[in-house]
Amino acid sequence: MKKKTIKLMLALSLLVTLASCGTATNSSTSTSKSSSSTETTTTSTNIATTTTDDNGLFGTYTAEDQDSNWDETSGTTIQLNKTSIKVDGSGASATDSIVTITAAGTYIVSGTLTDGQIKVNASKEDTVRIILNGVDITSSTTSPIYVQQADKMILTLADKTENKVSDATEYSYPDATTDEPDAAIFSKDDLTINGSGALNISGNYNNGIASKDDLVITDGTITVDAKNHALRGKDSVSILAGTFVLKAGNDGIQANNSEDTTKGWIGIDGGTYTITAAHDGIQAESSLLISNGNFTIKTGAGSDSQTSVTTTTSTTEENSNSYKALKATEQLTIQDGLFTLNAEDDALHTNGIITINGGEFSISTGDDGIHADDTLTINAGTIDIKKSYEGLEAAFIVIKDGTIHVTSSDDGINAAGGSDGTTDEIGPGGQKDNFSSGGDYGLTITGGRIVVDAGGDGLDSNGDIDMSGGVVLVNGPTDNGNGAIDFDGTFNLNGGTLVASGSSGMAETPSTSSTQASLNLIFSNTQQAGTLVHIEDENGDEVLTFAPTKNFQSIVISTPDMLQGSKYTLYSGGSHSGTTTDGLYQNGSYTIGTQLTTATLTDVSTSISETGASITTGGMGGGGGRPPGNN
């Protein structure tokens, strides 16, 4: 087993170990039930510091990978002279405009090669190190830097140097069965890039930088403009640091080994990334694991487009209809980082599980903000989904902490898949969500601050909703075909603050199995956005004051201070001297507008009109009696 595979397994097990032994700053365990009715346990944690010995939580970096020191007097020098090459030292030889390296060692390259190649063909045990000490290498027929064979190839970008590599627009192969190299820098074996210099790549034929094994980058300023993928490591990609400006006709960064389940992963532990990709920004065949970094990613035509992008890539690889910012097949884990994501498709996507333990996210997308076919767990972080079709979507959604703002044209938080009133479960970008029409789904909220502005349902679960903590503020739909709260099972409200405003036609309330009392106030006419709703207890003390940001006719309110059997006075309009955050007022006094009614919470879930008359609504379990096809 390779060290990189061992490292990946250790990194994943580290999350479980720290959580179970209590050494992390914030750890928790949740149990959910799958569609097969077997219980599965998911453990997650927030890790404040890196605990591995090679400066990376998820990637793999040896001391050799990070060592960028070199001595001009101790290696073989290769001087490029436009159309000829001069070699001084052993291990390399030049014929016309091609230099071939055949032995382990350090090779210092400088100068300009207008049409030629640096080729490495050493033994399978050799580590070859090439120092790019200010080079400009171009080829009109093939890859300018080609590693045909070695154990590992290390490219060191010399400090304060600019290095350019540009390949051909069409490659000349010896026969019809040969299809490699196919990148401006191409390695059939492990490839490492280090050093603080700059590297500018023009991948005119296909990929920019590609390794058929593991690609490791520990430093450098790297700019790639590639017809296909900008950075590609078939087995894995590990990035410790660096500054990256990547433009790709397909994916920005990719690991694509689908034959070995221990490979095809990406681990990123730092760096600054500006990625413009015609398809996915960062795509891992198995797992995408990020511990830190600053990411600005645009995919496809961005969030303003609802149509597929037509692009041209290599003749050896067909386009995929995927335009996601961060994508993994099995799991996507984020510990920390800054993310500005503008995606035509989902911003974060996996066919398996997503775990967010921290980070700051600014998301605009033409489809889902964050989508997992299986489980989405949010333990911490600041997430601002400014534009989406659906904000958070997964079969199981667990929110334990964090600050989350969601703006969606359809459902804000959806524990299931597809859109309201449809059965094909196709998003606006034409992408099918891998949800079954039956099975178990669930939304669990134990903490955090969640603010939803939804054109469809605000909180939607095709199963249960369980809330025991946190603050949830929903500005739901204005049409009567959706509701601020929608569930097919039961809504067990046992703690936290809930305010859910919206239309009244499909209004649902927490279930009678709840232990915390709630009140649903339904108006005879639509109330204008910004109209205050104020509740006082029997002593005249403020329980809650909220101003919905959209027109509303129904509002569900629950706080830990509201008790079954107690009497409350309701007001609308007026003003408040306190500070407001997301429409919720604090630390001030209320100036009376219109007194609506005085009501006693006779049940744990009480619904009344503005005159105090009792109203029967959904929310008593089993989906609340919603008409079929509107869930």
Side-chain angles (χ1 to χ4, degrees), residues 100-313:
T100 302
I101 297 172
T102 57
T106 299
Y107 301 84
I108 305 164
V109 185
S110 59
T112 299
L113 192 61
T114 55
D115 188 4
Q117 184 184 66
I118 297 175
K119 183 177 182 179
V120 176
N121 189 14
S123 77
K124 293 181 179 180
E125 294 76 30
D126 287 344
T127 296
V128 175
R129 185 179 185 191
I130 295 178
I131 312 298
L132 296 184
N133 190 29
V135 302
D136 188 343
I137 307 174
T138 303
S139 175
S140 64
T141 59
T142 188
S143 168
I145 299 179
Y146 172 34
V147 182
Q148 184 176 10
Q149 181 172 282
D151 178 54
K152 178 189 286 188
M153 164 74 166
I154 300 176
L155 280 180
T156 296
L157 310 177
D159 186 31
K160 299 179 182 179
T161 64
E162 296 283 340
N163 302 279
K164 298 180 181 180
V165 178
S166 179
D167 68 353
T169 57
E170 295 292 337
Y171 277 26
S172 297
Y173 294 119
D175 54 63
T177 62
T178 303
D179 59 0
E180 57 186 41
D182 65 353
I185 297 178
F186 181 89
S187 177
K188 295 181 71 172
D189 299 293
D190 293 344
L191 173 62
T192 293
I193 299 175
N194 64 24
S196 59
L199 178 61
N200 192 315
I201 301 290
S202 294
N204 301 305
Y205 174 67
N206 194 43
N207 299 321
I209 300 173
S211 167
K212 292 191 71 176
D213 282 346
D214 301 311
L215 174 62
V216 176
I217 301 175
T218 62
D219 201 0
T221 299
I222 299 174
T223 302
V224 180
D225 187 345
K227 189 175 182 181
N228 195 34
H229 308 305
L231 304 179
R232 186 182 199 179
K234 181 177 181 180
D235 290 351
S236 72
V237 177
S238 296
I239 302 179
L240 179 63
T243 300
F244 301 85
V245 178
L246 309 178
K247 182 179 180 182
N250 202 333
D251 298 343
I253 303 174
Q254 185 195 76
N256 69 314
N257 191 325
S258 59
E259 300 170 355
D260 187 336
T261 57
T262 67
K263 299 177 180 179
W265 55 270
I266 297 175
I268 297 177
D269 295 300
T272 299
Y273 304 80
T274 302
I275 300 175
T276 304
H279 287 277
D280 297 327
I282 303 176
Q283 189 263 327
E285 187 63 32
S286 57
S287 299
L288 172 56
L289 312 169
I290 299 173
S291 70
N292 217 326
N294 190 330
F295 302 81
T296 301
I297 301 175
K298 180 180 180 181
T299 65
S303 61
D304 292 332
S305 175
Q306 299 295 320
T307 59
S308 298
V309 176
T310 300
T311 60
T312 302
T313 63

Side-chain angles (χ1 to χ4, degrees), residues 433-444:
D433 296 330
N434 294 326
F435 292 91
S436 62
S437 57
D440 295 332
Y441 305 97
L443 168 62
T444 299

Side-chain angles (χ1 to χ4, degrees), residues 18-100:
L18 288 179
S20 62
C21 68
T23 58
T25 57
N26 184 8
S27 63
S28 53
T29 301
S30 65
T31 300
S32 61
K33 185 173 289 187
S34 68
S35 58
S36 61
S37 298
T38 59
E39 289 190 349
T40 59
T41 301
T42 301
T43 304
S44 55
T45 180
N46 291 346
I47 299 175
T49 59
T50 298
T51 58
T52 55
D53 59 1
D54 54 6
N55 301 317
L57 180 61
F58 291 133
T60 298
Y61 321 95
T62 66
E64 186 179 52
D65 291 330
Q66 299 180 67
D67 184 8
S68 60
N69 297 314
W70 57 283
D71 184 354
E72 291 187 9
T73 64
S74 62
T76 296
T77 61
I78 300 174
Q79 179 64 44
L80 310 178
N81 299 308
K82 294 186 178 180
T83 59
S84 63
I85 302 171
K86 180 182 178 182
V87 177
D88 186 3
S90 61
S93 60
T95 302
D96 298 326
S97 59
I98 297 177
V99 60
T100 302

Side-chain angles (χ1 to χ4, degrees), residues 328-535:
T329 300
E330 296 177 3
Q331 65 173 313
L332 171 55
T333 298
I334 296 176
Q335 292 295 119
D336 203 352
L338 302 175
F339 302 84
T340 302
L341 309 178
N342 181 11
E344 181 174 337
D345 200 344
D346 302 343
L348 280 70
H349 177 97
T350 176
N351 296 347
I353 63 174
I354 294 177
T355 304
I356 298 175
N357 294 321
E360 296 182 19
F361 300 80
S362 176
I363 293 173
S364 296
T365 172
D367 205 339
D368 299 338
I370 303 176
H371 174 104
D373 284 358
D374 192 339
T375 303
L376 166 62
T377 302
I378 300 175
N379 294 311
T382 301
I383 301 171
D384 186 4
I385 301 177
K386 300 177 180 296
K387 178 182 179 182
S388 67
Y389 177 64
E390 294 190 328
L392 308 180
E393 183 177 58
F396 297 94
I397 300 175
V398 180
I399 301 174
K400 300 179 181 179
D401 205 347
T403 301
I404 303 168
H405 287 76
V406 171
T407 300
S408 64
S409 59
D410 196 56
D411 298 342
I413 299 178
N414 184 24
S419 58
D420 288 313
T422 67
T423 59
D424 54 9
E425 300 180 350
I426 301 294
Q431 304 302 303
K432 184 173 179 61
D433 296 330
N434 294 326
F435 292 91
S436 62
S437 57
D440 295 332
Y441 305 97
L443 168 62
T444 299
I445 300 170
T446 61
R449 185 181 185 87
I450 304 164
V451 183
V452 175
D453 183 336
D457 297 325
L459 305 181
D460 184 4
S461 175
N462 282 14
D464 297 338
I465 299 177
D466 291 284
M467 180 176 172
S468 59
V471 176
V472 178
L473 309 175
V474 178
N475 294 281
T478 57
D479 67 275
N480 284 319
N482 295 282
I485 301 170
D486 177 18
F487 54 97
D488 286 353
T490 58
F491 184 170
N492 295 309
L493 178 59
N494 301 317
T497 296
L498 170 68
V499 183
S501 65
S503 55
S504 62
M506 306 294 285
E508 290 192 271
T509 62
S511 302
T512 55
S513 55
S514 301
T515 60
Q516 180 170 295
S518 64
L519 172 67
N520 182 19
L521 175 63
I522 298 178
F523 293 86
S524 57
N525 296 301
T526 298
Q527 305 297 295
Q528 295 300 304
T531 301
L532 296 185
V533 176
H534 176 78
I535 301 179

